[in-house]
Amino acid sequence: MHLRTNVYRRVENVLQYGFIRRKSTGTVDTGRVYTYGRYLVGPDFKFKTFPADAHYIDLKGFMFILLAGIYFWFQIKLLKKDCNKIN
């Protein structure tokens, strides 16, 4: 009898980054950032994923006494090299 364990895990989406998370304890290792693909990590691990695409932030609705409006937006993107700085 051959007992086969699934030791491969994957980051499912191209627009995601992931950290490896131990299922038994819930601890997350932020030492390495994983991108899309399939990885040999072991049966007690899975990926904690988060978005890697750009996000737009709109700041609209600032009205002054003179009834002049300002529309302001910017774009943020989490860089792979900065992912391990997340707390």
Side-chain angles (χ1 to χ4, degrees), residues 18-22 26-34 45-48 84:
F19 292 131
I20 198 75
R21 182 173 76 87
R22 184 177 290 272
T27 58
V28 177
D29 179 18
T30 60
R32 179 177 174 192
V33 180
Y34 294 87
F45 295 96
K46 66 188 269 185
F47 284 107
K48 175 71 177 168
N84 58 358

Side-chain angles (χ1 to χ4, degrees), residues 2 13 15 21 29 35 45 47 50 52 57 60 81 84:
H2 178 66
N13 193 338
L15 298 175
R21 182 173 76 87
D29 179 18
T35 57
F45 295 96
F47 284 107
F50 50 93
I57 298 176
K60 53 185 164 180
K81 66 181 179 87
N84 58 358

